Amino acid sequence: MSVTDRTVLLAGATSPSGLALARALVDAGAQVIATGRSAERLQSLRSIGAQVEVADATSLEAMTELASRLDTVDAVIPLVGGWRGGGGLAGQSDDDFRALLPALDAVRATSRAFDGALRASDAGRFAIVSSTAVGRPLAGGANYAAVKAASEAWTRAVAQGFAKAAGDAGEPLRAASVVFRAKALDPESLAPRVLALWDGDAADLNDQILTLD
């Protein structure tokens, strides 16, 4: 198996990481569907060959509507992110926490909306980008680490759901849910790891936490 001819949805893809990942996937022969809330910001993704969709990755309604219009989806990667922190524990404001929550909302919405499509694929993949801060949370980044930890827990629940569905159906596991952890995300380090998601069997990949260089 390879990423060639796979349909990969990048949800919330207008960041530098989204653009770099989309370019790498297109160059590898994948069909990329990139979502964002701004048609203007999506133009850079369209220009490199991605199909673009104006849709809010944090909205279950928007993602479900998009899923209903797509014939096949082999991978979903939510890329909604951001960082706020500092000031020790006392500096972890409610406003900052609420500003970070869309990252978790995107993980929840995309995984729910595309669960059936990924299980129907012969090699479905769901992957999120998390942080090494989950393994060693600091007081000044408690809000951030908490949201990332919740996103990881949800993604691991997706993995268990994939495994249970396959087991209940008496079929081999074909879908895998994966967490990528990075200390500071370098777009160039993410792309090759995403391309490699089809290098192995889903059973070996499912529920893995992989650290990016």
Side-chain angles (χ1 to χ4, degrees), residues 12 17 19 25 37 53 80 84 89 98 121 150 188 190 195 200:
S17 295
L19 182 60
L25 286 163
R37 291 182 295 179
E53 296 281 349
V80 176
R84 290 195 184 189
L89 201 63
R98 283 190 290 268
S121 169
E188 300 304 322
L190 175 62
L195 298 182

Side-chain angles (χ1 to χ4, degrees), residues 115 118-119 124 126 157-167 173 175-177 206:
D115 182 63
L118 294 179
R119 288 191 287 107
F126 183 78
V158 173
Q160 191 276 333
F162 286 162
K164 184 177 187 303
L173 181 62
S177 179
N206 196 39

Side-chain angles (χ1 to χ4, degrees), residues 3-105:
V3 71
T4 303
D5 296 326
R6 297 289 177 189
T7 299
V8 180
L9 177 75
L10 304 180
T14 56
S15 67
S17 295
L19 182 60
L21 181 53
R23 182 178 290 111
L25 286 163
V26 169
D27 289 347
Q31 177 186 354
V32 175
I33 302 169
T35 80
R37 291 182 295 179
S38 166
E40 181 179 358
R41 294 184 66 189
L42 284 167
Q43 290 311 305
S44 58
L45 289 141
R46 186 194 300 274
S47 69
I48 62 171
Q51 173 185 335
V52 299
E53 296 281 349
V54 178
D56 183 356
T58 69
S59 165
L60 177 60
E61 181 180 3
M63 290 296 100
T64 300
E65 191 279 330
L66 177 59
S68 73
R69 293 191 283 108
L70 300 176
D71 293 332
T72 301
V73 175
D74 298 298
V76 174
I77 304 174
L79 294 170
V80 176
W83 188 86
R84 290 195 184 189
L89 201 63
Q92 304 304 290
S93 71
D94 290 346
D95 285 345
D96 283 350
F97 185 68
R98 283 190 290 268
L100 292 166
L101 277 176
L104 174 59
D105 292 337

